[in-house]
Amino acid sequence: MKVVLFAGGMGMRMREFSESVPKPMVPIGSRPIIWHLMKYYAHYGHTEFIVCLGYKGEVIKEYFLNYKEWLSNDFVLSGGGREITMLHTDAQDWKITFVDTGLATNIGQRMVKVKDFLGDDEEFLANYSDGLSSVPLTTLIDHAHEHDAIATFLCTKPSQTFHIVNLDDNSHVTGITESSGAGMWVNAGFFVLRREVFDYIQPGEELVYEPFGRLLEAGKLVGYRYDGFWAGMDTFKDRQVMDEMNARGQAPWKVWEQDPVAPA
């Protein structure tokens, strides 16, 4: 299946980076988060990507046009440094389509703008490009098929702990509950979508509001609960945590290292 990556946002809560690079290009180790996502999908055999560009889209284009395989792969240097023989590659089989979908375009309309690049495919994957997970992708796809869903998305527990406060009409606190124990699930931004989803999107609409509301009423919207690793990168602190995990060799999203042989 083709993978649609939404990479046009400005990442306003990542101001340490947002003035120079778009949010999907914020680095974790030596590679940007969008690369980690692409490696994840490629591990499961999905190597055709459609990147929805917007804010500083030229930075993403330049990165892949000048892609350096040796940054994340072993190689042999010979000929006095003139010849490089790669022992492993990661992007050789990737096909990436770059589409300018506008600076202020919302997610739903970015997806509509790349519809034609899906060809005749009846099903595709999509991702917000700002979070990483260890969820087995085949399981998520199977879940969508089992429920005959037009739209399926990954649901995870909030990665940040906060307190939910209940108040009465007189502003007295009637209860305090930690989010981790409140049975809350959030949209993690990993989607399995059928082509019919476009029939539910009207001009100007955001994906998860009106369109998903219609799918909900039709019984064609399904969530997949996952208790394993997921982390969103919304702030500089989030990026630091993920970068430290990567440096320690404790990066659960790197399924290609834990299970080097991709599923058939």
Side-chain angles (χ1 to χ4, degrees), residues 94-181:
W94 297 1
K95 179 180 178 182
I96 311 172
T97 301
F98 298 92
V99 185
D100 184 357
T101 55
L103 287 176
T105 312
N106 64 40
I107 295 294
Q109 299 309 303
R110 289 190 194 280
M111 196 166 77
V112 170
K113 288 189 175 186
V114 301
K115 178 181 177 181
D116 290 344
F117 294 97
L118 294 169
D120 297 326
D121 293 5
E122 293 299 323
E123 191 174 30
F124 63 100
L125 305 168
N127 199 292
Y128 283 155
S129 303
D130 64 356
L132 299 170
S133 178
S134 61
V135 61
L137 184 59
T138 51
T139 304
L140 178 62
I141 295 171
D142 288 345
H143 186 76
H145 294 169
E146 289 167 7
H147 290 80
D148 191 30
I150 290 177
T152 301
F153 60 91
L154 180 65
C155 300
T156 66
K157 298 289 182 63
S159 58
Q160 295 179 341
T161 299
F162 53 90
H163 294 108
I164 300 172
V165 180
N166 298 318
L167 302 171
D168 64 17
D169 293 339
N170 293 318
S171 298
H172 291 105
V173 176
T174 60
I176 301 177
T177 308
E178 280 197 7
S179 62
S180 58

Side-chain angles (χ1 to χ4, degrees), residues 21-94:
V21 299
K23 188 176 181 181
M25 288 300 294
V26 173
I28 299 173
S30 63
R31 294 294 194 187
I33 187 172
I34 193 172
W35 177 91
H36 289 263
L37 270 175
M38 294 167 85
K39 280 285 288 186
Y40 166 85
Y41 282 108
H43 174 73
Y44 291 101
H46 306 287
T47 57
E48 289 192 55
F49 303 97
I50 301 170
V51 183
C52 301
L53 301 172
Y55 177 69
K56 290 192 176 293
E58 70 279 3
V59 176
I60 299 177
K61 290 179 180 179
E62 288 173 0
Y63 175 80
F64 285 102
L65 282 172
N66 301 297
Y67 189 72
K68 299 178 178 65
E69 285 273 20
W70 48 266
L71 275 177
S72 53
N73 292 290
D74 298 333
F75 63 90
V76 175
L77 188 66
S78 60
R82 293 186 298 275
E83 298 178 12
I84 295 178
T85 303
M86 301 301 304
L87 299 180
H88 305 283
T89 62
D90 44 45
Q92 186 175 8
D93 298 328
W94 297 1

